[in-house]
């Protein structure tokens, strides 16, 4: 798969993880727009490649970002991140079904560009310069406060929300 080279790219360009994460979301939004264009096999193939590459760029880079941003609470950060994915896996078929009942499937796919660009921008903005600072945990007594603090971290919420929308799009394709 593309995960290994994408992970290596994320490590090599660790100071640019904000751009990698943002571009992966935009790339997937563009891919769904292409799917909705009904451009034939070639366009569908190109869109599939974009989704695969965007997904491969997203996962290892997002995991590395979360674990470097929250080094003492890696498991908690990944668990909250995974919870967002699970919720989107559960809710997206319902949401997409409502949308397809209201709009054509092409229009539903076209609209995927909006969250791709919007969350790409939010991730880029939320993580801009985030890899120049070193965040360290000093005490175990602050664990609960820091767990709640995860939900106030713009970069964490942006990555988790974007991951949720990514999974929603994947579930739509699979269902």
């Amino acid at each position: 798969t593309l995960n290994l080279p994408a992970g290596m790219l994320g490590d090599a360009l660790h100071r640019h993880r904000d751009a990698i994460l943002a571009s992966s979301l935009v790339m997937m939004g563009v891919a769904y727009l292409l799917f909705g264009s009904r451009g034939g096999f070639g366009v569908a193939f190109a869109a599939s490649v974009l989704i695969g590459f965007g997904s491969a760029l997203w996962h290892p880079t997002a995991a590395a970002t979360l674990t470097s941003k929250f080094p003492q609470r890696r498991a908690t950060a990944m668990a909250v991140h995974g919870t967002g994915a699970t919720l989107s896996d559960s809710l997206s078929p319902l949401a997409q079904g409502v949308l397809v009942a209201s709009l054509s499937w092409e229009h539903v796919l076209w609209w995927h560009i909006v969250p791709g660009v919007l969350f790409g921008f939010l991730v880029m903005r939320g993580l801009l310069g985030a890899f120049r600072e070193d965040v360290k945990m000093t005490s175990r007594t602050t664990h609960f406060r820091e767990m709640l603090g995860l939900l106030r971290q713009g970069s964490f919420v942006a990555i988790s929300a974007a991951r949720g929308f990514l999974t929603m799009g994947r579930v739509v394709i699979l269902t």
Side-chain angles (χ1 to χ4, degrees):
T1 69
L2 293 173
N3 282 335
L4 182 58
M8 293 168 72
L9 181 69
D11 283 341
L13 302 175
H14 70 279
R15 295 182 66 81
H16 303 286
R17 285 184 184 156
D18 51 356
I20 293 170
L21 290 167
S23 65
S24 72
L25 294 172
V26 172
M27 193 179 308
M28 287 182 277
V30 168
Y32 287 114
L33 181 70
L34 288 173
F35 268 124
S37 73
R38 297 188 332 172
F41 179 76
V43 173
F45 182 77
S48 296
V49 168
L50 281 175
I51 288 172
F53 193 61
S55 179
L57 280 175
W58 175 262
H59 292 290
T61 308
T65 299
L66 287 172
T67 58
S68 69
K69 219 32 190 152
F70 308 103
Q72 299 297 324
R73 301 289 178 248
R74 287 183 215 141
T76 302
M78 293 303 295
V80 173
H81 180 70
T83 299
T86 301
L87 284 173
S88 70
D89 282 347
S90 302
L91 298 176
S92 64
L94 176 63
Q96 295 296 330
V98 168
L99 288 173
V100 170
S102 307
L103 304 167
S104 69
W105 64 267
E106 294 98 336
H107 287 107
V108 172
L109 288 173
W110 293 344
W111 279 101
H112 278 76
I113 190 74
V114 173
V117 170
L118 175 66
F119 283 102
F121 171 76
L122 291 174
V123 165
M124 183 74 169
R125 186 169 178 248
L127 290 177
L128 198 59
F131 302 103
R132 293 187 185 108
E133 35 185 89
D134 190 23
V135 178
K136 292 191 181 203
M137 207 69 92
T138 57
S139 168
R140 288 182 174 225
T141 60
T142 60
H143 176 75
F144 183 71
R145 186 173 9 148
E146 289 171 355
M147 271 183 17
L148 292 176
L150 284 174
L151 299 174
R152 289 187 292 252
Q153 293 283 335
S155 58
F156 180 80
V157 171
I159 289 170
S160 298
R163 166 70 175 145
F165 280 101
L166 164 75
T167 304
M168 282 185 209
R170 186 176 310 123
V171 169
V172 168
I173 296 295
L174 295 174
T175 53

